[in-house]
Amino acid sequence: MATNVLHNRPLWLKLLAAFVLLLAALAVLLAFFPWDTLRGPVNRYVSEKTGRKFEITRRLDVGIGLRGATVKADGIEFANPSWARDPYLVKAERAEIDIRLWPLITQKVVIPRLTLSSPTLGLQLEPDGRRTWALGKDTSDPGTVPVIGLIQVDGGAVDFLARHLGVDLHADVSYDTSRGTLPLSYRIKGRYKGQPLSAEGRTGDVLQLRAAGQPPFPLEIDAAAGHTRLKASGTVTDFAGLDGIEAKFDLKGQTLGALFPLLGIALPETSPYALSGDLRKRGKLWEVAGLKGRLGLSDIAGDMRFDKAGQVPHLAGELRSRVMDMDDLGPLIGLPPTERSAKAVEGVAPPPTITQVKRRAGGKVLPTAPLDFERLRAMNADVKYTAQRIQNVREIPLDRGGVQVKLNNGVLTLDPLDLGVGGGKLAGAIRIDGAKNPADIRASLDLRGVQLARLFPKLETTGNSVGRLDGRINLSGAGSSVANWLGGASGDVAVISGRGQFGNLLPVFATLVGGDIIKFLLRGDRNVELRCAALAFDVDKGLMTGRTLVLDTTNAVFYATGQANLAAETLDFVIRPEPKSKNILSLRTPLVVGGTFGSPSGGVKVAPLAGRGLAALALGTVNPLLALAATIETGPGQDSDCKGVLSDANRPTAGAAAKGAARAKGARQR
């Protein structure tokens, strides 16, 4: 009867039962199969397919599942290609490899998990794309690179070489379960981007190269590359692409400009810095939130974003300082930091300072540091910066500052640029077209409402109501540094002032009117009215020629002529004071201002002064009292036409100066 029931069952059920029995038999066969007998054939097969020696040295075992297999090798050696520096790609005491079976049909190797015991790894990348970890005979074919999910090791060493990238690193790894969630420690030595690198830290025992859906991988690092020091702790979800980063960091160094070769972010040269914040990476977007720290003597805070998704990376953000120190601005224009700024950050070796740099030949002082055109073209940017207060301003009474920095296809613009100066402001734009070499540089700046008393603190202490200054700078030209740009720039520079008052002492000494000095000493300080003043220059290829140089007060008019050579950095001016009243004991004679920007000199013209001296000597031989007659000033000075003076100062002369000024104004946003 049982036989009849079996015969009466459907055919499909009989086939299913046979299939199950076959699988059971196959499972038993695989479970007890002497896999080690295939060690030799496997060694020969892999060696032939890859073109290099592969050997499981002691024992082979395999576990088969529905989706994959687990290969256990007791002793494994896999040679590198002949062109590699290290003899082995991998050499380990033991290896356990999970392999997906179905991708093998299309000759793809997918390894969800790789466990190595005491391995040594030799990784090398060449400029033509060859890499030692490609498994085909053509090691430049990315299709032969295995996809690895998790790597687990218990110690060992790794070498990585990429000469064309300036990378040559050696890492030693050790494993200790007593370290809790970070049992794997590492030490790295070598060179990165051409700079000496050392690093140490701890990680979890499973390195997630590509492991979607896995918990974050913990990581700590303390690294130094050159003079840059990084400490960070956090998690990574995809180590191969450095994705899913959540970390806190502390970063120190001599200048932010040194990060360009390390990270590819084109930041300006700065004073030594110490920064901290929260770092996050998702895909191609890097974000820093809660950034805070110091740049030299200045505090800095804000948020930044660096997006590498586009064809050209883009940096954006907003930065602010409660207090910005003037000593920290030098590196931005090619000057080394001052001694104060260089030593402001603890734990950072101070760079060469301005006091340690020898003065250039001829006493020149304009910065000659070349613009880095490669950096200008390396990325685009849009960053806003504001400083609530500026300190240590010395001769320039800056109060506050703000600027929006944009970099687009090699063109750098500072627009708007807004600085509080002496109760007024300096505002405008600067444009540097780094797509050209030398760069096309244009500066258009306006000075408005600056208080004279703030420029000359000694006047401010008198309590006098002093005049206000207005002015402008419109310069354009080509250059690769501040010095050679100014040395060839053309345009217009002017400073003008209307009525005001200032203490008597300054004009008295400037006019050398001896009688007024005596009256000042006898009567005390009196106010002298400033009628008007104008200092205006036509600039033609670095030569600043005064077109209107006039200072008109109630007791004297000063007229000046001359030039300042921005290329040679020399001064050549003659100032002629013309007192407006008759005064005794006057030695009125033209004053000469010469020398260099770094070492100016002043004096009086000898001939007129000598003539008066000889006259006094001759008259003195007749009667000593007559000698005073030679010092009596007849007062030929007349009030200047202030309206005409200011009008002339406001108009650059036609020609190169006018054309250069017009080009400079084109730097501003329209």
Side-chain angles (χ1 to χ4, degrees):
M1 184 174 178
T3 303
N4 291 333
V5 172
L6 183 60
H7 283 294
N8 291 333
R9 286 182 179 177
L11 178 61
W12 67 266
L13 190 58
K14 296 177 182 179
L15 293 175
L16 178 61
F19 182 69
V20 170
L21 290 174
L22 179 62
L23 287 180
L26 182 60
V28 172
L29 174 64
L30 293 177
F32 292 97
F33 186 83
W35 291 103
D36 193 52
T37 60
L38 298 180
R39 179 158 46 97
V42 169
N43 290 344
R44 290 190 295 271
Y45 178 80
V46 175
S47 298
E48 190 278 327
K49 285 294 183 180
T50 60
R52 43 191 154 137
K53 182 182 178 182
F54 174 84
E55 184 176 6
I56 298 172
T57 59
R58 291 189 294 274
R59 181 173 175 78
L60 171 65
D61 194 12
V62 179
I64 300 293
L66 293 178
R67 298 181 57 192
T70 299
V71 179
K72 298 178 181 179
D74 189 8
I76 185 172
E77 296 179 359
F78 193 6
N80 262 327
S82 59
W83 48 263
R85 178 183 64 183
D86 295 322
Y88 291 101
L89 169 64
V90 58
K91 187 176 182 179
E93 289 296 315
R94 285 175 301 279
E96 189 169 311
I97 309 168
D98 289 346
I99 300 178
R100 292 276 185 252
L101 295 177
W102 299 114
L104 292 176
I105 298 174
T106 58
Q107 297 185 338
K108 289 185 178 180
V109 179
V110 178
I111 302 175
R113 182 180 64 90
L114 172 62
T115 301
L116 299 171
S117 177
S118 302
T120 57
L121 302 175
L123 309 177
Q124 187 168 331
L125 177 65
E126 292 297 295
D128 58 6
R130 289 178 296 162
R131 62 205 75 192
T132 57
W133 57 94
L135 300 184
K137 291 182 179 180
D138 180 6
T139 55
S140 63
D141 182 3
T144 63
V145 175
V147 177
I148 301 177
L150 308 180
I151 293 182
Q152 187 171 12
V153 299
D154 61 0
V158 181
D159 284 282
F160 180 71
L161 176 64
R163 292 189 182 92
H164 61 293
L165 300 178
V167 179
D168 188 356
L169 300 174
H170 175 82
D172 291 308
V173 181
S174 65
Y175 183 82
D176 187 344
T177 55
S178 66
R179 300 183 184 124
T181 58
L182 299 170
L184 205 65
S185 66
Y186 60 88
R187 290 181 179 272
I188 301 174
K189 289 284 187 181
R191 300 187 71 83
Y192 180 74
K193 301 294 186 179
Q195 297 189 37
L197 172 74
S198 62
E200 61 181 39
R202 300 186 304 159
T203 72
D205 62 342
V206 178
L207 180 61
Q208 296 167 199
L209 296 186
R210 292 180 177 87
Q214 296 293 327
F217 174 70
L219 177 68
E220 290 181 359
I221 186 170
D222 184 348
H227 293 288
T228 303
R229 184 74 176 265
L230 169 68
K231 289 185 178 181
S233 61
T235 58
V236 182
T237 57
D238 184 348
F239 200 84
L242 283 180
D243 200 11
I245 294 177
E246 298 274 357
K248 294 185 178 296
F249 72 91
D250 291 283
L251 187 66
K252 292 182 177 181
Q254 286 188 344
T255 171
L256 286 174
L259 295 180
F260 177 64
L262 296 174
L263 303 178
I265 304 177
L267 298 175
E269 297 298 324
T270 65
S271 298
Y273 65 91
L275 303 172
S276 63
D278 296 319
L279 177 66
R280 180 180 179 181
K281 182 177 184 288
R282 292 292 183 271
K284 298 289 186 178
L285 179 63
W286 296 76
E287 295 178 289
V288 174
L291 179 71
K292 61 181 180 180
R294 304 195 65 81
L295 293 177
L297 298 157
S298 307
D299 68 272
I300 191 78
D303 301 289
M304 299 294 291
R305 299 173 299 281
F306 187 58
D307 191 351
K308 301 183 70 174
Q311 194 171 22
V312 179
H314 187 270
L315 179 70
E318 295 187 10
L319 299 173
R320 57 192 176 274
S321 296
R322 292 189 302 272
V323 179
M324 192 271 285
D325 195 287
M326 279 290 290
D327 277 5
D328 298 321
L329 293 183
L332 295 177
I333 59 172
L335 294 174
T338 65
E339 186 172 1
R340 293 174 64 244
S341 186
K343 298 179 178 178
V345 178
E346 185 179 354
V348 177
T353 64
I354 201 167
T355 58
Q356 296 171 318
V357 176
K358 294 182 179 179
R359 188 178 294 278
R360 289 158 47 215
K364 294 186 177 182
V365 296
L366 293 178
T368 59
L371 296 171
D372 194 329
F373 298 106
E374 179 187 359
R375 297 192 185 195
L376 292 181
R377 293 188 289 265
M379 71 178 195
N380 294 330
D382 188 354
V383 178
K384 293 181 181 179
Y385 171 74
T386 57
Q388 297 176 16
R389 183 167 67 87
I390 302 176
Q391 69 179 13
N392 188 35
V393 294
R394 298 187 178 94
E395 293 84 2
I396 305 175
L398 292 176
D399 306 316
R400 54 168 180 79
V403 63
Q404 183 165 1
V405 180
K406 292 185 178 180
L407 182 58
N408 186 29
N409 296 327
V411 179
L412 174 67
T413 58
L414 309 181
D415 186 12
L417 174 64
D418 188 354
L419 301 175
V421 183
K425 72 174 184 176
L426 178 69
I430 297 174
R431 180 182 187 273
I432 302 174
D433 187 351
K436 303 175 181 178
N437 192 0
D440 177 15
I441 305 177
R442 308 179 191 185
S444 181
L445 303 169
D446 289 330
L447 190 67
R448 292 287 181 265
V450 176
Q451 300 173 14
L452 276 170
R454 294 287 305 278
L455 292 178
F456 303 100
K458 290 183 180 179
L459 296 181
E460 191 174 24
T461 58
T462 66
N464 294 328
S465 174
V466 183
R468 293 156 60 96
L469 288 179
D470 294 321
R472 65 182 175 275
I473 298 173
N474 289 308
L475 293 174
S476 63
S480 56
S481 70
V482 172
N484 65 23
W485 169 61
L486 289 174
S490 297
D492 169 40
V493 176
V495 177
I496 60 178
S497 178
R499 287 184 176 275
Q501 291 182 341
F502 52 87
N504 194 35
L505 188 60
L506 181 64
V508 165
F509 281 104
T511 56
L512 297 180
V513 181
D516 275 354
I517 292 176
I518 293 176
K519 287 187 287 183
F520 172 80
L521 294 174
L522 291 176
R523 301 179 186 177
D525 188 15
R526 295 186 310 159
N527 289 338
V528 175
E529 183 180 352
L530 171 68
R531 300 187 68 249
C532 62
L535 303 176
F537 298 87
D538 289 327
V539 186
D540 185 357
K541 296 179 180 178
L543 188 63
M544 295 180 62
T545 303
R547 67 171 180 268
T548 307
L549 304 175
V550 177
L551 175 66
D552 188 353
T553 72
T554 52
N555 69 343
V557 183
F558 303 86
Y559 295 101
T561 57
Q563 298 174 327
N565 192 316
L566 297 176
E569 298 189 25
T570 57
L571 302 168
D572 184 12
F573 290 95
V574 176
I575 304 172
R576 292 179 172 83
E578 296 186 2
K580 297 180 180 179
S581 60
K582 296 181 179 180
N583 296 287
I584 199 169
L585 298 179
S586 173
L587 294 178
R588 179 171 63 91
T589 189
L591 307 177
V592 177
V593 177
T596 66
F597 293 180
S599 182
S601 61
V604 297
K605 277 203 169 183
V606 177
L609 188 59
R612 291 197 175 205
L614 290 174
L617 179 62
L619 291 172
T621 61
V622 179
N623 185 332
L625 292 178
L626 294 179
L628 292 176
T631 66
I632 293 177
E633 176 56 65
T634 57
Q638 301 294 324
D639 286 349
S640 65
D641 176 10
C642 280
K643 185 176 180 180
V645 167
L646 299 182
S647 177
D648 290 342
N650 272 318
R651 290 196 306 268
T653 304
K659 292 179 181 178
R663 290 187 73 249
K665 291 179 181 179
R668 300 195 183 204
Q669 291 179 349
R670 299 186 183 278

